[in-house]
Amino acid sequence: MRKSVVSAAEQEINALMALHPKGFDLSLGRITRLLKRLGNPQDRLPPVIHIAGTNGKGSTGAFCRAILEAHGLTAHVHTSPHLVNWHERYRLGAKGGGRLVSDETFAEAVRRVAEANQGEMITVFEILTAVMFLLFSEHPADVAIVEVGLGGRFDATNVIARPAVALIMSISLDHQAYLGDRVELIAAEKAGIIKAGVPVVIGAQPDESARDVIIASAERLRCPVSVYGQDYFANEENGRLAYQDDEELIDLPLPRLAGRHQQSNAAAAIRALKSAGFELDEAAIARGLVDVSWPGRLERLPRGLITEAAMDGMEVWIDGGHNPGAGRAIAEAMANLEERDSRPLFLIAGMINTKDPVGYFEAFTGMARHVFTVPVPDSEAGLDPEFLADTADEAGLTAESAADVEAAMIAVTRNWNRLEPAPRVLICGSLYLLGDVLRRNGTPPI
């Protein structure tokens, strides 16, 4: 179900998008100029947890927030992109749990930032980053969790002079046109958020060369460094999560977020909070891992219009991972589900043209029964479904295009052998696609 009313904040943003270029233009001159006119709000934030990486940024930020709130602290959270509404990018800390920024407060902040920019050349992402700094500086909280938009070194968020910790999550090939075509080059860009003497926490890295680049950057700037698999660990033992670092061994429940990769993400969050100087209580950490929420990342599609129309017994999952690294993590999670509850797996996928669809689909070879490719709504960069089906074929899967998600789900029922258990469906690829699914399902993030 599509929104019939455009919010005040969205009207302001649409007006800006008509004036300024879309996408990214990586440099810090424009955002620095704008923030100076606003009184440098980035210098008036609570302690900042600054998070970069190709995969896992949002999930790890969600773990940080959940653990902090379980300790009774308040946390602002900045993420991008959003799924359904622009407001999702700004969660303002509040006792008893944060809340998405109100439309009135958001619209006013956008107007103030646009006025301060005085019509000069700038990207909309830079304006929205300045909005984040303004909102977070004017509303009290104990912590600000700030996710990098793209890269790190020249990302608009990288004007924070001294964060409490720099957290760099899994790095793989993505956005090569902006960041480089080798993982070492991408790692160097991500490591650009490291500041002299500031603690650095490195999440699980599938590529050792990426890890080595980050370590070298941190050592050059004389930063204390914590490396996953070397200085801190997490592994599943008897249905529990064992977290260990050089200080303690903690027995915890498994994270609420599905997938083995979320275990190392949770560990990175714990280590980052400790490195930032927070005293953590074991019981509160456990509550955080159980209470954590991160919409659109390997979750069962909430009950709504789309799920109610699905065939009886069908499992419908959604995930916004869209690069080869994310594909491998999601495929592993689907394999774990298959071990516990065997069902035929079907993919419904839509992607944009900045991604590597063959690399993504290859992770599901021998696992997915069939792929249905669909258009990506509200995106000029969406790949043609016929072309996307060809890339799935190239990756070793069988695939065909469908008009939309609903048509693809009907097609799943036609391809399902009724002698088997009801199918498991993964709607995946672009976050634009997932946002449209959540909107049509009537279950936007809150």
Side-chain angles (χ1 to χ4, degrees):
M1 182 180 297
R2 293 186 177 274
K3 297 175 292 182
S4 58
V5 178
V6 178
S7 70
E10 188 171 358
Q11 292 180 48
E12 296 289 340
I13 294 168
N14 288 341
L16 290 172
M17 292 180 74
L19 292 173
H20 299 291
K22 296 180 181 179
F24 298 88
D25 185 2
L26 298 180
S27 69
L28 296 178
R30 295 178 299 273
I31 185 72
T32 301
R33 178 199 71 217
L34 176 56
L35 291 171
K36 184 176 181 180
R37 291 176 181 173
L38 291 165
N40 289 315
Q42 77 279 9
D43 296 335
R44 301 193 302 275
L45 301 186
V48 173
I49 300 165
H50 201 189
I51 310 178
T54 307
N55 297 307
K57 298 190 300 293
S59 298
T60 307
F63 281 121
C64 286
R65 173 196 157 211
I67 294 169
L68 289 166
E69 290 181 346
H71 282 83
L73 300 175
T74 57
H76 294 323
V77 184
H78 168 261
T79 58
S80 67
H82 60 279
L83 290 172
V84 179
N85 299 308
W86 291 94
H87 306 65
E88 298 166 34
R89 298 182 180 222
Y90 313 93
R91 181 173 290 273
L92 300 181
K95 287 294 183 184
R99 64 188 185 280
L100 299 185
V101 64
S102 71
D103 191 54
E104 180 182 0
T105 299
F106 187 13
E108 180 189 10
V110 174
R111 285 192 290 268
R112 288 168 60 193
V113 171
E115 181 179 342
N117 187 59
Q118 299 175 8
E120 295 196 41
M121 179 65 70
I122 199 165
T123 67
V124 173
F125 180 77
E126 288 168 323
I127 287 180
L128 294 177
T129 301
V131 167
M132 177 266 293
F133 287 128
L134 193 65
L135 289 171
F136 288 6
S137 69
E138 294 182 347
H139 293 79
D142 297 308
V143 191
I145 301 167
V146 177
E147 180 185 318
V148 166
L150 177 65
R153 183 164 59 112
F154 291 121
D155 183 75
T157 66
N158 199 29
V159 293
I160 302 164
R162 191 171 180 82
V165 64
L167 173 55
I168 303 180
M169 298 305 297
S170 172
I171 293 173
S172 59
L173 290 176
D174 200 8
H175 297 292
Q176 290 96 312
Y178 292 100
L179 305 179
D181 58 0
R182 300 200 321 272
V183 72
E184 299 93 332
L185 298 176
I186 295 175
E189 291 297 319
K190 308 286 187 184
I193 70 167
I194 297 173
K195 306 298 190 300
V198 169
V200 175
V201 173
I202 302 174
Q205 297 296 329
D207 193 305
E208 291 185 2
S209 61
R211 180 199 61 197
D212 293 344
V213 167
I214 304 167
I215 292 173
S217 295
E219 290 178 343
R220 185 174 63 253
L221 293 169
R222 300 181 183 276
C223 302
V225 186
S226 297
V227 181
Y228 183 81
Q230 176 178 308
D231 303 299
Y232 70 101
F233 310 83
N235 59 282
E236 183 178 348
E237 294 182 0
N238 300 318
R240 303 277 293 176
L241 181 69
Y243 168 87
Q244 184 174 6
D245 58 24
D246 52 3
E247 299 170 350
E248 59 185 339
L249 172 64
I250 311 176
D251 176 52
L252 297 165
L254 290 176
R256 178 185 177 189
L257 301 184
R260 189 172 299 165
H261 58 291
Q262 297 295 4
Q263 298 174 17
S264 58
N265 288 346
I270 295 168
R271 185 64 182 183
L273 293 175
K274 294 177 73 171
S275 297
F278 293 98
E279 295 289 335
L280 301 183
D281 172 76
E282 183 173 329
I285 296 174
R287 287 197 302 274
L289 298 194
V290 171
D291 293 342
V292 67
S293 175
W294 187 226
R297 277 68 171 189
L298 201 56
E299 69 166 347
R300 289 284 292 270
L301 183 62
R303 186 170 179 80
L305 297 178
I306 291 178
T307 51
E308 287 177 357
M311 61 174 286
D312 288 343
M314 180 188 289
E315 275 189 16
V316 183
W317 292 76
I318 56 175
D319 188 89
H322 43 237
N323 54 54
R328 288 188 291 271
I330 299 158
E332 181 184 18
M334 289 290 106
N336 290 336
L337 286 174
E338 171 67 13
E339 287 181 6
R340 296 198 299 269
D341 178 18
S342 181
R343 296 167 179 259
L345 174 65
F346 293 86
L347 305 187
I348 299 175
M351 292 189 183
I352 60 176
N353 59 18
T354 60
K355 306 304 173 186
D356 173 11
V358 174
Y360 179 88
F361 286 132
E362 283 177 341
F364 294 91
T365 303
M367 182 185 308
R369 178 71 56 84
H370 197 66
V371 180
F372 294 95
T373 57
V374 295
V376 177
D378 305 321
S379 173
E380 297 174 358
L383 289 173
D384 177 77
E386 292 283 353
F387 172 81
L388 190 58
D390 289 341
T391 66
D393 287 333
E394 185 181 340
L397 301 170
T398 61
E400 63 188 273
S401 63
D404 53 29
V405 168
E406 287 88 341
M409 291 183 68
I410 292 171
V412 167
T413 64
R414 291 202 307 266
N415 282 264
W416 165 60
N417 182 343
R418 283 161 175 74
L419 297 178
E420 297 178 308
R424 177 174 291 126
V425 174
L426 174 65
I427 304 173
C428 57
S430 170
L431 288 170
Y432 292 104
L433 174 64
L434 264 62
D436 185 68
V437 167
L438 290 169
R439 181 167 53 240
R440 294 162 71 95
N441 197 47
T443 54
I446 57 174

